[in-house]
Amino acid sequence: MTSVGTPPAAPVTAEAPMRRLDRRMIWVDAIQMVISLIPTVVALAVFKVEPRPQVIWPAALVAVLGVVTAVNDLFRWLKTRYRVTPDRVEVRTGLLVRSNLSVPRDRIRSVESTANLKQRLAGLRVVTIGTGRHASAGEATIELNAVRRETAEELRRLLLRGADRPDDATVLAELRWRWLLYNLVNIWAFLTAMFVIWSAYWLLNNFGVELDTWVLGLADWEALGPGVTIAVATAAVGLIGVAGLVIGFVTEFWEFRLTRVRTAAGTALRTTNGLLRTREVNRDDNRLRGVHIGEPLFWRWMGAADTAVISTGLAKAGMGAEPASTILPRGPIAEALRVARLVLGGDDRPFEAPLRPHPRRALRRRVIWALNTTGALTVLLLWLDLTVEALPGGLWLAGPGVAPVAVLAAVVAYRALGHTVHGRYLVTRSGLLTRSTDALDRSAVIGWKFRQSLLQRRLNLVTVIATTAAGYGRYKAPDLDLHDGVEFADRATPDMLTPFITRIPPRR
């Protein structure tokens, strides 16, 4: 049985007809708008709530946005066509400005299928096709929003060059609920709480319930004093935010699984996850160039890490979505290292290789920067203290007060530095807010960049940057000794730099 909105699959030939998106995309957003208006309608018609402006304007805004979205979907459906030929994917879009995109199929690197709750209920999927263009160019993806679920499966099989064999799938990682703890200590908890509180205030206000009045009546806040009031408010907002993060994590990573599946072209890394919004991302192993492990500063004490692959053509994330390169939720560093070893395969194990430390002059450079920054801050605060009478006196003392913290940050940043060449991979580590360790296949390096600031030149230091078509496009080892930096690049890619090297003695 075929859908009214989408024609049956056509054979893939050079003359294959252009196909439309599914017409159900038009009324899905319209129905969502109607459902969003139900609380307001019930409040006005059933509970006889007075139609005050604070009740009417949010509903009016929802109605206007719903109509605009539905009209936009109608035009997008009318003006979007696509087809898959034996050697190309062609997409035509645009109303006032027409766009014709034709991408060779051998440039396709990944195929991602997603669906939020409303799309799942309508049997629709959003297919995102990662191409060979670098992500920084802003044209790294083709998005078909939205097609039937069966069409999405058909496109995945075609564009990954053959159907996968489920019996040959190897499970590399599955969700562990203890990982939830690594995702709760987050500034987003307070932002999530603000959104929840605002939504509750608006919803209850429709029914004549004043949330702020109710909260003020819970206790004698004046008698408790400002200190207790602020502490209670902060704790309450934090708990609401943590509850929101728990719900968000569960709905996003429900039934998460990382597998390696066999395809006609070889193998692919596949992640599947989601409860209300399902997501499936396929990454061709032929395009894999390495693995990135990031350890955020404020979560490092927990041993938390983010894990991603370094690959060509993977799409950037949209709002609220993880990048297609991410292969694990934030979790323990031991799990990240285990999965990295399985993903890379072989016997090299670059993340277990000891890293070479950087010279002490790199620490000196960071300390100089820390002291210069705090000095500039002190001067600025002193100027404000002398010119702005409304500010409290002695504000400039905050500048010297942060000096120990800045120096400590310099030490932490220095201790994060490291590099080596191990087997097939060059490994670099650096970063303060996020300590990033990158294992990049040496065959993926297409060039080198050596950068020196004035201070680096004085200290005989250099930042060595390996350029590649994969991942972020550049992976750097900051503040190496000049001699060691040239040697590091030469070891990683023998003969690439030979015509340009002038041997210099190392600095003592």
Side-chain angles (χ1 to χ4, degrees):
M1 181 179 296
T2 60
S3 167
V4 176
T6 303
V12 179
T13 65
E15 295 77 26
M18 301 297 289
R19 304 171 67 181
R20 290 181 184 268
L21 302 176
D22 197 286
R23 69 177 59 177
R24 283 176 287 184
M25 59 185 280
I26 303 170
W27 54 260
V28 163
D29 283 320
I31 290 179
Q32 182 187 22
M33 175 197 66
V34 173
I35 294 175
S36 300
L37 293 174
I38 288 178
T40 303
V41 173
V42 170
L44 295 174
V46 179
F47 291 90
K48 306 300 180 181
V49 174
E50 180 183 353
R52 295 166 297 171
Q54 57 266 39
V55 175
I56 297 300
W57 74 259
L61 180 61
V62 169
V64 170
L65 291 177
V67 171
V68 170
T69 302
V71 171
N72 179 67
D73 288 342
L74 174 61
F75 284 118
R76 189 157 54 86
W77 178 76
L78 289 173
K79 294 300 181 180
T80 302
R81 301 286 190 279
Y82 72 94
R83 70 177 174 185
V84 179
T85 69
D87 57 351
R88 310 189 76 80
V89 176
E90 300 176 10
V91 181
R92 300 175 186 173
T93 60
L95 177 61
L96 300 179
V97 179
R98 296 290 291 170
S99 173
N100 296 277
L101 180 61
S102 180
V103 177
R105 288 177 60 177
D106 61 5
R107 298 293 299 275
I108 292 172
R109 306 296 186 254
S110 65
V111 178
E112 176 179 346
S113 176
T114 60
N116 55 32
L117 180 59
K118 63 182 180 182
Q119 291 165 339
R120 288 179 64 189
L121 294 176
L124 299 177
R125 296 292 185 270
V126 179
V127 176
T128 304
I129 303 167
T131 70
R133 299 182 180 182
H134 199 275
S136 61
E139 299 178 334
T141 62
I142 297 173
E143 184 177 271
L144 299 177
N145 181 9
V147 298
R148 291 173 57 201
R149 181 181 61 186
E150 295 81 1
T151 304
E153 287 294 318
E154 172 199 349
L155 289 171
R156 179 176 63 80
R157 290 194 298 269
L158 287 175
L159 300 179
L160 288 182
R161 293 173 289 175
D164 54 85
R165 307 180 182 96
D167 294 339
D168 292 336
T170 302
V171 178
L172 303 184
E174 291 182 304
L175 180 66
R176 298 290 182 267
W177 288 113
R178 64 177 179 271
W179 297 353
L180 181 62
L181 299 175
Y182 295 89
N183 293 267
L184 297 184
V185 184
N186 200 316
I187 188 61
W188 287 103
F190 292 94
L191 299 178
T192 301
M194 292 296 102
F195 175 77
V196 171
I197 293 171
W198 183 88
S199 301
Y201 175 83
W202 175 74
L203 180 62
L204 294 174
N205 198 52
N206 285 342
F207 294 91
V209 178
E210 300 290 344
L211 183 60
D212 52 348
T213 304
W214 178 79
V215 171
L216 291 175
L218 290 176
D220 187 353
W221 301 110
E222 292 186 3
L224 292 175
V228 175
T229 300
I230 293 173
V232 171
T234 302
V237 171
L239 288 175
I240 294 173
V242 167
L245 291 180
V246 169
I247 295 173
F249 182 86
V250 171
T251 55
E252 182 175 2
F253 293 107
W254 182 264
E255 293 187 346
F256 170 85
R257 177 173 292 185
L258 171 66
T259 57
R260 174 165 270 141
V261 297
R262 292 195 174 275
T263 67
T267 58
L269 285 175
R270 173 180 298 169
T271 52
T272 55
N273 57 279
L275 181 60
L276 302 180
R277 177 182 182 271
T278 59
R279 190 183 191 203
E280 178 184 295
V281 185
N282 295 273
R283 311 161 186 85
D284 190 349
D285 269 333
N286 294 322
R287 309 298 177 183
L288 183 65
R289 300 294 182 264
V291 171
H292 161 91
I293 294 179
E295 301 169 78
L297 175 63
F298 297 109
W299 290 265
R300 209 173 297 166
W301 62 273
M302 300 175 62
D306 301 317
T307 312
V309 292
I310 301 173
S311 182
T312 56
L314 290 183
K316 286 184 175 181
M319 288 296 292
E322 291 283 349
S325 58
T326 300
I327 57 173
L328 278 180
R330 178 170 293 172
I333 182 65
E335 181 69 8
L337 294 173
R338 184 190 71 84
V339 170
R341 184 170 62 250
L342 294 175
V343 167
L344 294 177
D347 300 323
D348 288 332
R349 299 190 176 186
F351 288 99
E352 299 177 16
L355 301 183
R356 296 182 61 182
H358 290 212
R360 302 283 291 185
R361 283 167 279 134
L363 172 60
R364 191 188 315 166
R365 177 173 180 251
R366 280 156 177 75
V367 171
I368 291 173
W369 268 107
L371 295 178
N372 286 342
T373 301
T374 55
L377 178 61
T378 302
V379 171
L380 175 61
L381 293 178
L382 180 60
W383 176 77
L384 292 174
D385 204 3
L386 296 174
T387 57
V388 182
E389 295 182 358
L391 294 177
L395 183 64
W396 66 273
L397 294 173
V402 300
V405 177
V407 172
L408 177 61
V411 174
V412 172
Y414 170 73
R415 289 174 60 86
L417 297 177
H419 69 281
T420 192
V421 175
H422 185 78
R424 292 171 45 201
Y425 300 93
L426 64 90
V427 185
T428 60
R429 189 181 68 191
S430 64
L432 172 62
L433 296 181
T434 298
R435 183 171 64 191
S436 299
T437 307
D438 301 292
L440 177 66
D441 195 318
R442 294 190 289 152
S443 64
V445 177
I446 58 177
W448 292 94
K449 181 177 180 180
F450 298 84
R451 188 180 66 198
Q452 280 185 304
S453 66
L454 289 176
L455 183 56
Q456 283 179 311
R457 210 172 304 167
R458 289 276 298 174
L459 297 174
N460 201 40
L461 298 174
V462 64
T463 295
V464 181
I465 304 171
T467 60
T468 176
Y472 293 112
R474 38 190 287 152
Y475 293 89
K476 64 181 181 179
D479 293 337
L480 276 71
D481 178 87
L482 182 58
H483 181 273
D484 290 342
V486 174
E487 181 188 21
F488 170 60
D490 192 38
R491 285 181 57 212
T493 55
D495 302 328
M496 182 181 289
L497 299 180
T498 300
F500 310 100
I501 293 179
T502 299
R503 300 295 176 182
I504 59 176
R507 180 171 176 172
R508 298 299 180 185

